[in-house]
Amino acid sequence: MSKTNLTRRGVLKSGAIAGAGVALPTIFTASSAAAYTNEPTGGTVTLGFNVPQTGPYADEGADELRAYELAVEHLNGEGDGGMLSTFSSKELQGNGILGKKVTFVTGDTQTKSDAARASAKSMIEKDGAIMISGGSSSGVAIAVQGLCQEAGVIFMAGLTHSNDTTGKDKKANGFRHFFNGYMSGAALAPVLSRLYGNDRKAYHLTADYTWGWTQQESIAAATEALGWETVNNVLTPLAATDFSSYIAPVLNSGADVLVLNHYGGNMVNSLTNAVQFGLRNKEVNGKNFEIVVPLFSRLMARGAGENIKGIVGSTNWHWSLQDEGSKAFVKSFGTKYGFPPSQAAHTVYCQTLLYADAAQRAGTFNPCGIVEALEGFEFDGLGNGKTLYRAEDHQCFKDVLVVKGKENPTSEFDLLEIVEVTPAAQVTYPPDHPMFAGGALGTCNPGA
């Protein structure tokens, strides 16, 4: 679609008029459509990939970078094309985006919000990035999403599981493919009830930032609705590496389940400490003591080693899925890197393709054209079944996986088994659900 056609479709967005100090309606026309941040003027378009290359989520960041590089290769017609061939939208032809070759720059979020914002700001202002993606921390994602809204570029979130990202902190320029805490609770609770019964007492250790808070709220609400009791919730610092002092009080709490609302290196360390304290071998209230990790990945399972066996949790995607999209992505990634991709890699690869496809369908890199193309967009073939990018909050709704650590893995990559594929309908909630209340999506900002 041409830029002129945006007017024919009746696109009317709010844009800041330079020097006026007020926001007035702006209609995109052939002449005004160019007035947006970092409009590509040459033969290339630059994307910014902002990931944790250091800090507790660095493993996820490394796999994200691998997937971003692969996505760019496929967009530019290199390699085997990966999921371009399985994606239900057939706009992408391997000739870049809108005929421009895709280039990219990278930054290190350090798993710190301030560092992430500074890195994204540099990519936008110095490198001319027209889209920012990445992150493995919801605190980082929310901070960078806010920056992108202010700067007038699109933010395609990487790993971010806090309800707030598409709840109270949602932004018109931001989009999330990854699932969230509410979805984990909705998928996990019925499985936990079936496995461990309804008469359980849960003790929560929770990462002390937006993701941990909303994850804990979600899993507690979902399990309490089925009869579980939450006996305590203790917040732990994101920078913590030894959780022994937090594990010890669990022994005398009367709890018979420990819920670790931790991710990345935090989860590896807290689970290891819990096993060292003998929790997995205890019997409390006449029941076997259980440990639950609401959100985990293959990378975390590898770090936790033997300790992950039998541990139940949820994940966004897993390389063992047999749909055509998943198989195509696993083949491409494995051929290039020699091992299967993680959910982190899958998420950011999808986000890169979804952005490129939206630009192609809109016929412009203008953020407001991208927003319109993604809002309410339904697609398939990217590994999670039929998916909707909901217009009201820019959250993707798709199937969620419940997994557990394999008792007898066949390799260092074959660590998780899928217990249940929870259908999207079971994890879908209304846009005004109380856990997502506050804030407003607002209107797209095209920037310059």
Side-chain angles (χ1 to χ4, degrees):
M1 185 178 70
S2 70
K3 293 173 183 176
T4 307
N5 283 343
L6 282 171
T7 304
R8 296 196 195 105
R9 288 178 62 183
V11 179
L12 187 65
K13 301 289 184 180
S14 175
I17 306 301
V22 295
L24 296 173
T26 300
I27 298 177
F28 292 109
T29 64
S31 60
S32 67
Y36 58 91
T37 299
N38 292 339
E39 179 198 7
T41 54
T44 64
V45 58
T46 302
L47 309 181
F49 301 140
N50 203 25
V51 305
Q53 299 182 49
T54 56
Y57 297 168
D59 282 351
E60 271 74 14
D63 228 31
E64 287 177 327
L65 283 182
R66 296 182 187 107
Y68 281 130
E69 184 178 340
L70 186 64
V72 169
E73 287 181 5
H74 290 167
L75 289 173
N76 288 332
E78 302 166 16
D80 63 7
M83 287 200 283
L84 262 64
S85 63
T86 64
F87 187 17
S88 58
S89 176
K90 302 303 179 186
E91 296 292 327
L92 298 171
Q93 302 299 315
N95 59 347
I97 309 175
L98 295 176
K100 296 182 184 293
K101 183 177 181 180
V102 182
T103 63
F104 66 93
V105 292
T106 66
D108 181 10
T109 70
Q110 304 174 41
T111 322
K112 297 176 181 175
S113 296
D114 288 346
R117 278 182 64 98
S119 177
K121 190 170 187 288
S122 176
M123 287 191 281
I124 294 167
E125 295 182 354
K126 295 181 181 179
D127 301 310
I130 198 166
M131 181 272 274
I132 300 293
S133 183
S136 291
S137 153
S138 289
V140 161
I142 288 168
V144 175
Q145 180 169 258
L147 173 77
C148 289
Q149 181 69 36
E150 297 163 10
V153 301
I154 293 293
F155 177 62
M156 300 296 285
L159 291 193
T160 168
H161 194 241
S162 170
N163 293 340
D164 291 346
T165 308
T166 47
K168 71 179 183 63
D169 294 307
K170 60 185 175 288
K171 302 293 182 187
N173 283 38
F175 291 85
R176 171 163 61 180
H177 177 268
F178 205 62
F179 68 148
N180 57 46
Y182 175 93
M183 294 173 171
S184 284
L188 269 176
V191 176
L192 296 177
S193 175
R194 187 171 72 238
L195 292 174
Y196 307 137
N198 293 335
D199 182 22
R200 283 286 185 166
K201 299 181 185 299
Y203 191 112
H204 291 245
L205 292 182
T206 300
D208 190 13
Y209 74 108
T210 179
W211 168 67
W213 306 331
T214 66
Q215 170 61 79
Q216 192 278 330
E217 178 188 23
S218 298
I219 195 71
T223 53
E224 287 169 8
L226 295 177
W228 285 32
E229 177 188 348
T230 303
V231 299
N232 204 356
N233 177 40
V234 177
L235 301 178
T236 62
L238 183 58
T241 55
D242 185 349
F243 294 85
S244 300
S245 62
Y246 297 99
I247 300 293
V250 179
L251 297 167
N252 299 313
S253 67
D256 46 44
V257 177
L258 173 61
V259 181
L260 295 175
N261 299 298
H262 290 155
Y263 194 74
N266 287 162
M267 189 287 285
V268 171
N269 292 329
S270 61
L271 178 59
T272 299
N273 289 154
V275 173
Q276 289 169 342
F277 271 79
L279 288 183
R280 298 199 70 179
N281 300 318
K282 286 181 68 65
E283 185 176 293
V284 179
N285 304 324
K287 307 175 183 71
N288 291 330
F289 194 97
E290 304 292 349
I291 301 174
V292 177
V293 177
L295 175 67
F296 64 76
S297 69
R298 178 184 63 77
L299 297 175
M300 290 158 59
R302 183 185 64 189
E306 294 278 319
N307 298 329
I308 203 68
K309 291 184 176 183
I311 298 290
V312 176
S314 68
T315 194
N316 190 67
W317 176 86
H318 191 254
W319 66 268
S320 66
L321 288 169
Q322 291 302 299
D323 61 277
E324 293 306 310
S326 293
K327 289 194 292 185
F329 178 54
V330 171
K331 179 174 181 273
S332 293
F333 192 97
T335 298
K336 184 173 177 64
Y337 298 111
F339 49 85
S342 64
Q343 66 169 355
H346 171 260
T347 298
V348 301
Y349 179 94
C350 290
Q351 284 286 70
T352 307
L353 262 57
L354 286 163
Y355 171 82
D357 175 75
Q360 201 74 33
R361 287 185 292 113
T364 180
F365 290 104
N366 189 309
C368 294
I370 304 294
V371 168
E372 184 183 2
L374 283 174
E375 285 184 342
F377 179 51
E378 294 183 90
F379 59 91
D380 203 347
L382 294 186
N384 286 110
K386 292 182 178 179
T387 304
L388 167 68
Y389 240 133
R390 188 162 67 181
E392 289 87 349
D393 50 13
H394 296 182
Q395 171 67 55
C396 269
F397 288 89
K398 56 193 185 304
D399 297 345
V400 170
L401 304 182
V402 177
V403 294
K404 72 174 180 178
K406 274 196 171 182
E407 296 289 351
N408 298 297
T410 58
S411 74
E412 62 177 307
F413 307 111
D414 179 38
L415 302 177
L416 302 177
E417 62 179 292
I418 298 172
V419 175
E420 188 168 289
V421 178
T422 306
Q426 185 176 317
V427 300
T428 298
Y429 51 87
D432 60 352
H433 187 283
M435 286 188 186
F436 297 83
L441 189 65
T443 56
C444 78
N445 175 22

